Amino acid sequence: NNNFFIFENSIYLQTKGVAMGSSMAPSVANLYVSNFENKVLSEHRYSEYITLWRRYIDDDLLIWNGNQDQLNHFYTWLNNLDNNLKFTINYSTESISFLDIKISILEGKFHTDIFRKATDTNHLLNFNSCHNLSLKKNLQYSQFLCIKRLCTNPDTYQERSQEMKSRFAHKNYPAKFIEEGYNKAM
C-alpha cells in the first residue's frame, strides 16, 4: 500500500501488486500467472482450439486451431477474466516471433530463425572490458551455439553466423577468438 517509485523524475505510488524491483516479484508473478493459465486451460469454452500454450515470464506463445473470429473472441474473453492481467496479441498464419525466435511455417513444416527487434543495438560485451578472458572467449561459443540451435535452415545458419562474426568484430574481438568460438559450436 505504500510502495513509492520514481520514473522520469516523477514520484508514483504503486497501489496494487508486488513491489517492483523486489527479489520475490518474479516468483510471485509467475505463480499468479500460472494459476491464471490453469484456470484458462481448464475452461472448456476455448480449450478445443488451443493446440499449444507456452509461457516464459510474461511472454506467451499460443498455437490456435480455430479461425480468426474465434481467436478474437478468445482474446476478448481472456482480457476480461482478470483485471490485473492484460494481454496483447500478435498473430499470423505464416510467422511469429517469440522471445528471440522467429517461427515460420514453410511447406507445412515449422522453421526457426533468430529474431532481433528493430531496436537491437548490439549489446555484446566489448572485448576491451575488464572481464575475465575465459568469459570473453566463451561468449562467442555460446552465441554461435545459440544460432546453431535456433536456425533450422543451414543457409540461414550461415547467414546469422556471419552477422554474429561482424557483431563481435564491431566489439573489438580478435578474429582468431571469433573463429575459435564459431568452430567450437560447429
Side-chain angles (χ1 to χ4, degrees):
N1 290 330
N2 52 0
N3 182 41
F4 291 91
F5 63 94
I6 298 173
F7 178 70
E8 293 185 348
N9 297 323
S10 294
I11 299 173
Y12 296 89
L13 170 64
Q14 182 179 343
T15 58
K16 61 181 176 178
V18 179
M20 291 187 298
S22 77
S23 60
M24 65 183 224
S27 295
V28 171
N30 271 321
L31 288 169
Y32 187 87
V33 176
S34 179
N35 184 53
F36 174 81
E37 286 173 339
N38 289 335
K39 283 194 276 187
V40 169
L41 293 172
S42 67
E43 170 70 42
H44 295 291
R45 184 176 186 181
Y46 293 103
S47 61
E48 67 183 286
Y49 304 114
I50 300 171
T51 303
L52 175 85
W53 182 314
R54 294 290 184 265
R55 176 175 55 87
Y56 181 77
I57 313 289
D58 63 348
D59 290 311
D60 292 287
L61 174 66
L62 181 73
I63 296 181
W64 184 259
N65 198 22
N67 63 38
Q68 187 173 340
D69 190 45
Q70 293 164 326
L71 178 61
N72 289 334
H73 285 286
F74 172 71
Y75 172 65
T76 301
W77 175 77
L78 196 62
N79 274 315
N80 287 314
L81 290 177
D82 189 319
N83 290 333
N84 296 310
L85 296 174
K86 291 300 166 211
F87 292 83
T88 58
I89 187 170
N90 295 309
Y91 60 90
S92 171
T93 58
E94 296 171 9
S95 70
I96 194 87
S97 61
F98 178 66
L99 305 173
D100 59 351
I101 307 168
K102 179 182 175 186
I103 305 167
S104 305
I105 299 176
L106 302 168
E107 299 174 1
K109 295 181 181 179
F110 284 107
H111 293 272
T112 57
D113 188 4
I114 299 291
F115 172 73
R116 286 193 180 85
K117 293 182 179 180
T119 56
D120 182 64
T121 58
N122 192 23
H123 276 84
L124 293 172
L125 182 68
N126 194 300
F127 187 77
N128 297 325
S129 71
C130 293
H131 288 79
N132 188 299
L133 183 61
S134 65
L135 182 140
K136 292 188 267 189
K137 287 179 108 175
N138 283 306
L139 182 59
Q140 290 100 66
Y141 167 67
S142 67
Q143 292 299 300
F144 287 120
L145 188 60
C146 182
I147 293 169
K148 184 176 182 181
R149 289 177 176 165
L150 293 182
C151 293
T152 54
N153 180 300
D155 292 334
T156 304
Y157 166 70
Q158 289 300 324
E159 185 179 328
R160 298 296 173 257
S161 293
Q162 290 304 315
E163 290 170 0
M164 184 58 70
K165 287 178 181 182
S166 295
R167 293 177 74 204
F168 277 120
H170 181 74
K171 293 292 185 172
N172 303 310
Y173 282 79
K176 178 184 175 191
F177 286 6
I178 297 170
E179 284 305 313
E180 285 175 358
Y182 172 76
N183 291 332
K184 185 177 177 184
M186 293 289 291

